[in-house]
Short mmCIF file of all heavy atoms in Angstrom, two decimals:
data_model
loop_
_atom_site.label_atom_id
_atom_site.label_comp_id
_atom_site.label_asym_id
_atom_site.label_seq_id
_atom_site.Cartn_x
_atom_site.Cartn_y
_atom_site.Cartn_z
N THR A 199 0.78 -5.08 -29.74
CA THR A 199 1.64 -3.92 -29.46
C THR A 199 1.20 -2.71 -30.27
O THR A 199 1.36 -1.57 -29.84
CB THR A 199 3.11 -4.21 -29.80
OG1 THR A 199 3.20 -4.59 -31.16
CG2 THR A 199 3.66 -5.32 -28.93
N VAL A 200 0.61 -3.00 -31.41
CA VAL A 200 0.16 -1.89 -32.26
C VAL A 200 -0.88 -1.04 -31.53
O VAL A 200 -0.93 0.18 -31.69
CB VAL A 200 -0.42 -2.43 -33.59
CG1 VAL A 200 -1.16 -1.33 -34.34
CG2 VAL A 200 0.70 -3.00 -34.46
N ILE A 201 -1.69 -1.68 -30.71
CA ILE A 201 -2.75 -0.94 -30.03
C ILE A 201 -2.18 0.20 -29.20
O ILE A 201 -2.58 1.35 -29.33
CB ILE A 201 -3.56 -1.88 -29.13
CG1 ILE A 201 -4.20 -2.98 -29.97
CG2 ILE A 201 -4.63 -1.09 -28.37
CD1 ILE A 201 -4.92 -4.02 -29.16
N ASN A 202 -1.23 -0.15 -28.34
CA ASN A 202 -0.66 0.88 -27.48
C ASN A 202 0.02 1.98 -28.27
O ASN A 202 -0.13 3.16 -27.98
CB ASN A 202 0.35 0.27 -26.51
CG ASN A 202 -0.34 -0.32 -25.31
OD1 ASN A 202 -0.95 0.40 -24.55
ND2 ASN A 202 -0.27 -1.64 -25.18
N ARG A 203 0.73 1.58 -29.29
CA ARG A 203 1.47 2.58 -30.05
C ARG A 203 0.51 3.46 -30.84
O ARG A 203 0.76 4.64 -31.06
CB ARG A 203 2.49 1.90 -30.94
CG ARG A 203 3.38 0.98 -30.09
CD ARG A 203 4.52 0.41 -30.87
NE ARG A 203 5.50 1.43 -31.20
CZ ARG A 203 6.67 1.19 -31.78
NH1 ARG A 203 6.97 -0.05 -32.09
NH2 ARG A 203 7.50 2.16 -32.05
N LEU A 204 -0.60 2.88 -31.26
CA LEU A 204 -1.61 3.65 -31.99
C LEU A 204 -2.21 4.71 -31.07
O LEU A 204 -2.45 5.85 -31.48
CB LEU A 204 -2.69 2.67 -32.43
CG LEU A 204 -3.51 2.92 -33.68
CD1 LEU A 204 -2.65 3.33 -34.85
CD2 LEU A 204 -4.30 1.66 -34.03
N TYR A 205 -2.43 4.32 -29.83
CA TYR A 205 -3.04 5.25 -28.88
C TYR A 205 -2.03 6.24 -28.31
O TYR A 205 -2.41 7.20 -27.65
CB TYR A 205 -3.70 4.48 -27.73
CG TYR A 205 -5.07 3.92 -28.06
CD1 TYR A 205 -5.38 2.60 -27.77
CD2 TYR A 205 -6.06 4.72 -28.62
CE1 TYR A 205 -6.64 2.08 -28.03
CE2 TYR A 205 -7.31 4.21 -28.90
CZ TYR A 205 -7.60 2.89 -28.60
OH TYR A 205 -8.84 2.40 -28.86
N ASN A 206 -0.76 5.98 -28.49
CA ASN A 206 0.26 6.85 -27.88
C ASN A 206 1.20 7.51 -28.87
O ASN A 206 2.34 7.77 -28.55
CB ASN A 206 1.11 6.03 -26.91
CG ASN A 206 0.32 5.62 -25.71
OD1 ASN A 206 -0.39 6.41 -25.14
ND2 ASN A 206 0.45 4.35 -25.34
N HIS A 207 0.73 7.73 -30.03
CA HIS A 207 1.65 8.27 -31.05
C HIS A 207 2.10 9.69 -30.74
O HIS A 207 1.57 10.29 -29.83
CB HIS A 207 0.97 8.24 -32.42
CG HIS A 207 -0.08 9.31 -32.57
ND1 HIS A 207 0.08 10.42 -33.35
CD2 HIS A 207 -1.28 9.41 -32.03
CE1 HIS A 207 -1.00 11.17 -33.27
NE2 HIS A 207 -1.84 10.60 -32.48
N VAL B 163 -4.97 7.47 -39.04
CA VAL B 163 -4.28 6.21 -38.76
C VAL B 163 -2.87 6.25 -39.33
O VAL B 163 -1.91 5.79 -38.70
CB VAL B 163 -5.06 5.01 -39.32
CG1 VAL B 163 -4.25 3.73 -39.22
CG2 VAL B 163 -6.38 4.86 -38.58
N ASP B 165 -0.98 8.88 -39.69
CA ASP B 165 -0.18 9.72 -38.81
C ASP B 165 0.20 8.98 -37.54
O ASP B 165 1.33 9.09 -37.04
CB ASP B 165 -0.95 10.99 -38.43
CG ASP B 165 -1.10 11.93 -39.61
OD1 ASP B 165 -0.39 11.76 -40.61
OD2 ASP B 165 -1.95 12.84 -39.52
N ALA B 166 -0.74 8.22 -37.01
CA ALA B 166 -0.51 7.56 -35.73
C ALA B 166 0.44 6.38 -35.86
O ALA B 166 1.12 6.02 -34.90
CB ALA B 166 -1.83 7.11 -35.12
N SER B 167 0.48 5.77 -37.03
CA SER B 167 1.21 4.50 -37.14
C SER B 167 2.45 4.58 -38.02
O SER B 167 3.17 3.60 -38.17
CB SER B 167 0.28 3.42 -37.70
OG SER B 167 -0.16 3.77 -38.99
N ARG B 168 2.70 5.76 -38.58
CA ARG B 168 3.85 5.96 -39.45
C ARG B 168 5.12 5.30 -38.96
O ARG B 168 5.81 4.60 -39.70
CB ARG B 168 4.10 7.46 -39.52
CG ARG B 168 4.48 7.90 -40.83
CD ARG B 168 4.68 9.35 -40.98
NE ARG B 168 4.49 9.53 -42.39
CZ ARG B 168 3.52 10.19 -42.93
NH1 ARG B 168 2.65 10.83 -42.20
NH2 ARG B 168 3.41 10.22 -44.24
N ASP B 169 5.42 5.51 -37.69
CA ASP B 169 6.72 5.13 -37.18
C ASP B 169 6.88 3.65 -36.86
O ASP B 169 8.00 3.18 -36.65
CB ASP B 169 7.04 5.93 -35.91
CG ASP B 169 7.16 7.42 -36.20
OD1 ASP B 169 7.48 7.76 -37.36
OD2 ASP B 169 6.91 8.22 -35.29
N PHE B 170 5.79 2.92 -36.78
CA PHE B 170 5.96 1.52 -36.38
C PHE B 170 5.18 0.55 -37.26
O PHE B 170 5.41 -0.65 -37.20
CB PHE B 170 5.55 1.33 -34.92
CG PHE B 170 4.12 1.76 -34.63
CD1 PHE B 170 3.09 0.85 -34.72
CD2 PHE B 170 3.84 3.07 -34.27
CE1 PHE B 170 1.79 1.23 -34.46
CE2 PHE B 170 2.54 3.46 -34.02
CZ PHE B 170 1.52 2.54 -34.12
N ALA B 171 4.25 1.05 -38.07
CA ALA B 171 3.48 0.15 -38.94
C ALA B 171 3.09 0.92 -40.19
O ALA B 171 1.93 1.27 -40.40
CB ALA B 171 2.25 -0.37 -38.22
N PRO B 172 4.08 1.20 -41.04
CA PRO B 172 3.88 2.14 -42.15
C PRO B 172 2.84 1.70 -43.19
O PRO B 172 2.48 2.49 -44.05
CB PRO B 172 5.27 2.28 -42.77
CG PRO B 172 6.03 1.11 -42.29
CD PRO B 172 5.46 0.72 -40.97
N GLN B 173 2.38 0.49 -43.09
CA GLN B 173 1.36 0.05 -44.05
C GLN B 173 -0.02 -0.08 -43.42
O GLN B 173 -0.99 -0.45 -44.08
CB GLN B 173 1.76 -1.30 -44.66
CG GLN B 173 3.02 -1.24 -45.52
CD GLN B 173 2.83 -0.37 -46.75
OE1 GLN B 173 1.84 -0.49 -47.45
NE2 GLN B 173 3.79 0.51 -46.99
N LEU B 174 -0.11 0.19 -42.14
CA LEU B 174 -1.38 -0.02 -41.46
C LEU B 174 -2.51 0.80 -42.05
O LEU B 174 -3.67 0.40 -42.03
CB LEU B 174 -1.23 0.30 -39.96
CG LEU B 174 -2.42 -0.12 -39.08
CD1 LEU B 174 -2.59 -1.63 -39.07
CD2 LEU B 174 -2.25 0.39 -37.65
#
Side-chain angles (χ1 to χ4, degrees):
Chain A
T199 57
V200 168
I201 299 175
N202 277 296
R203 306 188 70 174
L204 209 46
Y205 280 132
N206 291 315
H207 74 107
Chain B
V163 171
D165 290 344
S167 61
R168 219 177 203 114
D169 296 334
F170 57 91
Q173 295 295 314
L174 191 64

